[in-house]
Coordinates of all heavy atoms in Angstrom, one line a residue:
M275 N 88.1 136.7 173.0 CA 87.4 137.3 171.9 C 88.3 137.6 170.7 O 87.9 137.4 169.6 CB 86.8 138.7 172.4 CG 85.8 139.3 171.4 SD 84.4 138.1 170.9 CE 83.7 139.0 169.5
L276 N 89.5 138.0 171.1 CA 90.5 138.2 170.0 C 90.8 136.9 169.3 O 90.9 136.8 168.0 CB 91.8 138.7 170.6 CG 92.9 139.1 169.6 CD1 92.4 140.3 168.8 CD2 94.2 139.4 170.4
M277 N 90.9 135.8 170.0 CA 91.1 134.5 169.5 C 90.0 134.1 168.5 O 90.2 133.5 167.5 CB 91.3 133.5 170.6 CG 91.7 132.1 170.2 SD 93.4 132.0 169.6 CE 93.5 130.2 169.3
V278 N 88.8 134.4 168.9 CA 87.6 134.1 168.1 C 87.7 134.8 166.8 O 87.5 134.3 165.7 CB 86.3 134.5 168.9 CG1 85.1 134.3 168.0 CG2 86.1 133.6 170.1
K279 N 88.0 136.1 166.9 CA 88.1 136.9 165.6 C 89.2 136.4 164.7 O 89.1 136.4 163.5 CB 88.4 138.4 166.0 CG 87.1 139.1 166.5 CD 87.4 140.6 166.7 CE 86.1 141.3 167.1 NZ 86.4 142.7 167.4
L280 N 90.3 136.0 165.3 CA 91.4 135.4 164.6 C 91.0 134.2 163.8 O 91.2 134.0 162.6 CB 92.6 135.1 165.6 CG 94.0 135.1 165.0 CD1 94.4 136.5 164.7 CD2 94.9 134.4 166.0
L281 N 90.4 133.3 164.5 CA 89.9 132.0 163.9 C 88.8 132.2 162.9 O 88.7 131.5 162.0 CB 89.5 131.0 165.0 CG 90.5 130.2 165.7 CD1 89.9 129.2 166.7 CD2 91.3 129.4 164.6
A282 N 88.0 133.3 163.1 CA 87.0 133.6 162.2 C 87.5 133.9 160.8 O 86.9 133.7 159.8 CB 86.1 134.7 162.7
R283 N 88.8 134.4 160.8 CA 89.4 134.8 159.5 C 90.3 133.6 159.0 O 91.0 133.8 158.0 CB 90.3 136.0 159.7 CG 89.4 137.3 160.0 CD 90.3 138.4 160.5 NE 89.5 139.5 160.9 CZ 89.0 140.5 160.1 NH1 89.4 140.5 158.8 NH2 88.3 141.4 160.5
M284 N 90.4 132.6 159.8 CA 91.3 131.5 159.4 C 90.5 130.2 159.3 O 90.6 129.3 160.2 CB 92.4 131.3 160.3 CG 93.3 132.6 160.4 SD 94.5 132.6 161.7 CE 95.8 131.5 161.0
P285 N 89.7 130.0 158.3 CA 88.8 128.8 158.2 C 89.6 127.5 158.2 O 89.1 126.5 158.7 CB 88.0 129.0 156.9 CG 88.7 130.0 156.2 CD 89.4 130.9 157.2
D286 N 90.8 127.5 157.7 CA 91.6 126.2 157.6 C 92.0 125.8 159.0 O 91.8 124.6 159.4 CB 92.9 126.5 156.8 CG 92.6 126.6 155.3 OD1 91.4 126.3 154.9 OD2 93.5 126.9 154.6
L287 N 92.5 126.7 159.8 CA 92.9 126.4 161.2 C 91.7 126.0 162.0 O 91.7 125.1 162.8 CB 93.6 127.7 161.8 CG 94.1 127.5 163.2 CD1 95.2 126.4 163.3 CD2 94.7 128.8 163.7
R288 N 90.6 126.7 161.8 CA 89.3 126.5 162.5 C 88.9 125.1 162.3 O 88.5 124.3 163.2 CB 88.3 127.5 162.0 CG 87.1 127.6 162.9 CD 86.3 128.8 162.5 NE 85.6 128.5 161.2 CZ 85.4 129.4 160.2 NH1 85.9 130.6 160.3 NH2 84.7 129.0 159.2
Q289 N 88.9 124.7 161.0 CA 88.5 123.3 160.6 C 89.4 122.3 161.3 O 88.9 121.2 161.7 CB 88.5 123.2 159.1 CG 87.6 122.1 158.6 CD 87.3 122.3 157.2 OE1 88.1 122.7 156.3 NE2 86.0 122.1 156.8
R290 N 90.7 122.6 161.4 CA 91.6 121.6 162.0 C 91.3 121.5 163.5 O 91.3 120.4 164.0 CB 93.1 122.1 161.8 CG 94.0 120.9 161.6 CD 95.4 121.4 161.3 NE 96.0 121.9 162.5 CZ 97.1 122.7 162.4 NH1 97.6 123.0 161.3 NH2 97.7 123.2 163.5
V291 N 91.0 122.6 164.1 CA 90.6 122.5 165.5 C 89.4 121.6 165.7 O 89.4 120.8 166.6 CB 90.4 123.9 166.1 CG1 89.7 123.8 167.5 CG2 91.7 124.7 166.2
Q292 N 88.4 121.9 164.9 CA 87.2 121.1 165.0 C 87.3 119.6 164.6 O 86.6 118.8 165.1 CB 86.1 121.7 164.1 CG 85.6 123.1 164.7 CD 84.5 123.7 163.8 OE1 84.7 124.0 162.7 NE2 83.4 124.0 164.4
T293 N 88.4 119.3 163.9 CA 88.6 117.9 163.5 C 89.4 117.2 164.6 O 89.2 116.1 164.9 CB 89.5 117.9 162.2 OG1 88.8 118.6 161.2 CG2 89.7 116.5 161.7
E294 N 90.3 117.9 165.2 CA 91.2 117.3 166.2 C 90.6 117.3 167.6 O 90.9 116.4 168.4 CB 92.6 118.0 166.2 CG 93.3 117.7 164.9 CD 94.6 118.5 164.8 OE1 94.9 119.3 165.7 OE2 95.3 118.3 163.8
H295 N 89.9 118.4 167.9 CA 89.3 118.5 169.3 C 87.9 117.9 169.3 O 86.9 118.5 169.3 CB 89.3 120.0 169.7 CG 90.7 120.5 169.9 ND1 91.2 120.7 171.2 CD2 91.6 120.8 169.0 CE1 92.5 121.2 171.0 NE2 92.8 121.3 169.7
V296 N 88.0 116.5 169.4 CA 86.7 115.8 169.5 C 86.7 114.9 170.8 O 87.8 114.6 171.3 CB 86.6 114.9 168.2 CG1 86.3 115.7 167.0 CG2 87.8 114.0 168.1
P297 N 85.5 114.6 171.2 CA 85.4 113.8 172.5 C 85.9 112.4 172.4 O 85.6 111.8 171.3 CB 84.0 113.9 172.9 CG 83.2 114.1 171.6 CD 84.2 114.9 170.7
D298 N 86.6 111.9 173.4 CA 86.9 110.4 173.4 C 85.8 109.7 174.1 O 84.7 110.3 174.5 CB 88.3 110.2 174.0 CG 88.4 110.6 175.5 OD1 87.3 110.9 176.1 OD2 89.5 110.7 176.0
E299 N 86.0 108.4 174.4 CA 85.0 107.6 175.0 C 84.5 108.1 176.4 O 83.4 107.9 176.8 CB 85.5 106.1 175.2 CG 85.9 105.5 173.9 CD 87.3 106.0 173.5 OE1 88.1 106.3 174.5 OE2 87.6 106.1 172.3
S300 N 85.4 108.8 177.1 CA 85.1 109.2 178.5 C 84.6 110.7 178.5 O 84.5 111.2 179.6 CB 86.4 109.1 179.4 OG 87.4 109.8 178.9
G301 N 84.5 111.3 177.3 CA 83.9 112.6 177.3 C 85.0 113.7 177.4 O 84.7 114.9 177.7
H302 N 86.2 113.3 177.3 CA 87.3 114.3 177.3 C 87.8 114.6 175.9 O 87.7 113.8 175.0 CB 88.5 113.8 178.2 CG 88.2 113.6 179.6 ND1 87.5 112.6 180.1 CD2 88.4 114.5 180.7 CE1 87.3 112.7 181.4 NE2 87.9 113.9 181.8
C303 N 88.4 115.8 175.8 CA 88.9 116.2 174.4 C 90.1 115.3 174.1 O 91.0 115.1 174.9 CB 89.3 117.7 174.4 SG 90.1 118.2 172.9
R304 N 90.1 114.8 172.8 CA 91.2 114.0 172.4 C 92.5 114.7 172.3 O 93.6 114.2 172.6 CB 90.9 113.4 171.0 CG 90.0 112.2 171.1 CD 90.0 111.5 169.7 NE 88.8 110.6 169.6 CZ 88.9 109.3 170.1 NH1 90.0 108.9 170.7 NH2 87.8 108.6 170.0
D305 N 92.5 116.0 172.0 CA 93.7 116.8 171.8 C 94.2 117.4 173.1 O 95.4 117.5 173.3 CB 93.5 117.8 170.7 CG 94.8 118.2 170.0 OD1 95.4 117.4 169.4 OD2 95.2 119.4 170.2
C306 N 93.2 117.9 173.9 CA 93.6 118.5 175.2 C 93.8 117.5 176.2 O 94.4 117.7 177.3 CB 92.5 119.5 175.6 SG 92.3 120.9 174.4
R307 N 93.2 116.3 176.1 CA 93.3 115.2 177.0 C 92.7 115.4 178.3 O 91.8 114.7 178.7 CB 94.8 114.8 177.1 CG 95.3 114.2 175.8 CD 96.7 113.7 175.9 NE 97.2 113.3 174.6 CZ 97.1 112.1 174.2 NH1 96.5 111.2 174.9 NH2 97.5 111.8 173.0
E308 N 93.2 116.4 179.1 CA 92.7 116.6 180.4 C 91.4 117.3 180.5 O 90.6 117.1 181.4 CB 93.7 117.5 181.2 CG 95.1 116.8 181.4 CD 95.0 115.5 182.2 OE1 94.4 115.6 183.3 OE2 95.5 114.5 181.8
A309 N 91.1 118.1 179.4 CA 89.9 118.9 179.4 C 88.7 118.2 179.1 O 88.7 117.2 178.3 CB 90.1 120.1 178.5
Q310 N 87.6 118.6 179.7 CA 86.3 118.0 179.4 C 85.9 118.6 178.1 O 86.1 119.7 177.7 CB 85.3 118.5 180.5 CG 84.0 117.7 180.5 CD 84.1 116.4 181.3 OE1 85.0 116.3 182.1 NE2 83.3 115.4 181.0
W311 N 85.2 117.7 177.2 CA 84.8 118.2 175.9 C 83.4 118.7 176.0 O 82.5 118.1 176.7 CB 84.9 117.1 174.9 CG 84.7 117.5 173.5 CD1 85.7 118.0 172.7 CD2 83.5 117.6 172.8 NE1 85.1 118.4 171.5 CE2 83.8 118.2 171.5 CE3 82.1 117.4 173.1 CZ2 82.8 118.4 170.6 CZ3 81.2 117.6 172.1 CH2 81.5 118.1 170.9
P312 N 82.9 119.8 175.4 CA 83.7 120.6 174.5 C 84.8 121.5 175.2 O 84.4 122.2 176.1 CB 82.7 121.5 173.8 CG 81.5 121.5 174.7 CD 81.5 120.2 175.4
C313 N 86.0 121.4 174.8 CA 87.1 122.1 175.4 C 87.0 123.6 174.9 O 86.3 123.9 174.0 CB 88.4 121.5 175.0 SG 88.8 121.6 173.3
E314 N 87.9 124.4 175.6 CA 87.9 125.8 175.3 C 88.2 126.1 173.8 O 87.5 126.9 173.2 CB 88.9 126.5 176.2 CG 88.7 127.9 176.4 CD 89.6 128.5 177.5 OE1 90.2 127.7 178.3 OE2 89.9 129.7 177.4
L315 N 89.2 125.4 173.3 CA 89.6 125.7 171.9 C 88.4 125.3 170.9 O 88.2 126.0 170.0 CB 90.8 124.8 171.5 CG 92.1 125.6 171.4 CD1 93.2 124.7 171.1 CD2 91.9 126.6 170.2
Y316 N 87.8 124.2 171.2 CA 86.7 123.8 170.3 C 85.6 124.8 170.3 O 85.0 125.2 169.3 CB 86.2 122.4 170.8 CG 85.0 121.9 169.9 CD1 85.3 121.2 168.7 CD2 83.7 122.2 170.2 CE1 84.3 120.8 167.9 CE2 82.7 121.7 169.4 CZ 83.0 121.0 168.2 OH 82.0 120.6 167.4
Q317 N 85.3 125.3 171.5 CA 84.2 126.3 171.7 C 84.6 127.6 171.0 O 83.7 128.3 170.4 CB 83.9 126.6 173.1 CG 83.2 125.4 173.8 CD 82.8 125.7 175.3 OE1 82.1 126.6 175.5 NE2 83.4 124.9 176.2
I318 N 85.8 128.0 171.0 CA 86.3 129.2 170.3 C 86.1 129.0 168.8 O 85.7 129.9 168.1 CB 87.8 129.4 170.7 CG1 87.9 129.9 172.1 CG2 88.4 130.4 169.7 CD1 89.4 130.0 172.6
A319 N 86.4 127.8 168.3 CA 86.3 127.5 166.9 C 84.8 127.6 166.5 O 84.5 128.1 165.4 CB 86.9 126.1 166.6
V320 N 83.9 127.1 167.3 CA 82.5 127.1 167.0 C 82.0 128.6 167.0 O 81.3 129.0 166.1 CB 81.7 126.3 168.0 CG1 80.2 126.5 167.9 CG2 82.0 124.8 167.9
N321 N 82.4 129.3 168.0 CA 82.1 130.7 168.0 C 82.6 131.5 166.8 O 82.0 132.4 166.2 CB 82.5 131.4 169.3 CG 81.7 131.0 170.5 OD1 80.5 130.7 170.4 ND2 82.3 130.9 171.7
A322 N 83.8 131.2 166.4 CA 84.5 131.8 165.3 C 83.7 131.5 164.0 O 83.5 132.3 163.1 CB 85.9 131.3 165.2
E323 N 83.2 130.3 163.9 CA 82.5 129.9 162.7 C 81.2 130.7 162.6 O 80.8 131.1 161.6 CB 82.2 128.4 162.8 CG 81.6 127.8 161.5 CD 81.4 126.3 161.6 OE1 81.2 125.8 162.6 OE2 81.6 125.7 160.5
R324 N 80.5 130.8 163.8 CA 79.3 131.6 163.8 C 79.6 133.1 163.4 O 78.8 133.7 162.7 CB 78.8 131.6 165.3 CG 77.3 131.6 165.3 CD 76.8 131.4 166.8 NE 77.1 130.0 167.2 CZ 77.2 129.7 168.5 NH1 77.2 130.6 169.5 NH2 77.4 128.5 168.9
L325 N 80.7 133.6 163.9 CA 81.1 135.0 163.6 C 81.4 135.1 162.1 O 81.0 136.1 161.5 CB 82.3 135.3 164.4 CG 82.7 136.8 164.5 CD1 81.6 137.5 165.4 CD2 84.0 136.9 165.2
D326 N 82.0 134.1 161.5 CA 82.4 134.1 160.1 C 81.2 134.1 159.2 O 81.1 134.8 158.2 CB 83.3 132.9 159.8 CG 83.9 133.0 158.4 OD1 84.0 134.1 157.9 OD2 84.3 132.0 157.9
T327 N 80.2 133.2 159.6 CA 79.0 133.1 158.7 C 78.0 134.2 158.9 O 77.2 134.5 158.0 CB 78.3 131.7 159.0 OG1 78.0 131.6 160.4 CG2 79.1 130.6 158.5
R328 N 78.1 135.0 159.9 CA 77.3 136.2 160.2 C 78.0 137.5 160.0 O 77.9 138.1 159.0 CB 76.7 136.1 161.6 CG 75.5 135.2 161.8 CD 74.8 135.6 163.0 NE 75.7 136.0 164.1 CZ 75.5 135.8 165.4 NH1 74.5 135.1 165.8 NH2 76.4 136.1 166.3
G329 N 78.8 137.8 161.1 CA 79.4 139.1 161.2 C 80.3 139.6 160.2 O 80.1 140.6 159.5
L330 N 81.4 138.8 159.9 CA 82.4 139.3 159.1 C 82.0 139.5 157.6 O 82.5 140.5 157.0 CB 83.6 138.3 159.1 CG 84.3 138.3 160.5 CD1 85.6 137.4 160.4 CD2 84.7 139.6 161.0
R331 N 81.1 138.7 157.1 CA 80.7 138.9 155.8 C 80.0 140.2 155.6 O 80.1 140.9 154.6 CB 79.7 137.7 155.4 CG 80.3 136.4 155.4 CD 80.7 135.9 154.0 NE 81.7 134.8 154.1 CZ 81.5 133.5 154.3 NH1 80.3 133.1 154.5 NH2 82.5 132.7 154.4
L332 N 79.2 140.6 156.6 CA 78.4 141.8 156.5 C 79.3 143.0 156.5 O 79.1 144.0 155.8 CB 77.5 141.9 157.7 CG 76.3 140.9 157.8 CD1 75.6 141.0 159.1 CD2 75.4 141.1 156.6
S333 N 80.4 143.0 157.3 CA 81.3 144.2 157.4 C 82.4 144.2 156.3 O 83.1 145.1 156.1 CB 81.9 144.2 158.8 OG 82.6 143.0 159.0
A334 N 82.5 143.0 155.6 CA 83.6 143.0 154.6 C 83.3 143.8 153.3 O 82.1 144.0 153.0 CB 83.8 141.5 154.2
Ligands
ZN870 ZN1 90.6 120.4 173.0

């Protein structure tokens, strides 16, 4: 959750995660390699984006 909040405030880093953590031909994350996609980091970035577009703007 902390990681999500952190990424919600860092759109640049979030975008980089979403750019690099993409599935390869076998359905694994290109950056994590071993992990099935969507990997943990990618999901955190997606959740952070959701938080950014909803939550943080309201409380800012
Ligand atoms: Zn990954």
Side-chain angles (χ1 to χ4, degrees):
M275 191 56 192
L276 185 66
M277 185 71 174
V278 173
K279 283 185 174 173
L280 203 74
L281 273 184
R283 291 166 188 274
M284 300 169 79
D286 289 352
L287 182 62
R288 197 170 72 220
Q289 201 158 43
R290 213 175 73 199
V291 168
Q292 286 179 304
T293 304
E294 291 174 357
H295 292 254
V296 291
D298 64 12
E299 305 77 31
S300 60
H302 292 82
C303 174
R304 279 190 195 279
D305 205 66
C306 300
R307 292 178 185 273
E308 298 295 309
Q310 197 81 26
W311 193 89
C313 65
E314 204 172 336
L315 251 177
Y316 181 86
Q317 291 185 58
I318 288 171
V320 169
N321 286 330
E323 189 172 32
R324 214 173 292 155
L325 198 69
D326 190 22
T327 51
R328 277 198 324 215
L330 294 184
R331 296 260 159 82
L332 293 174
S333 58

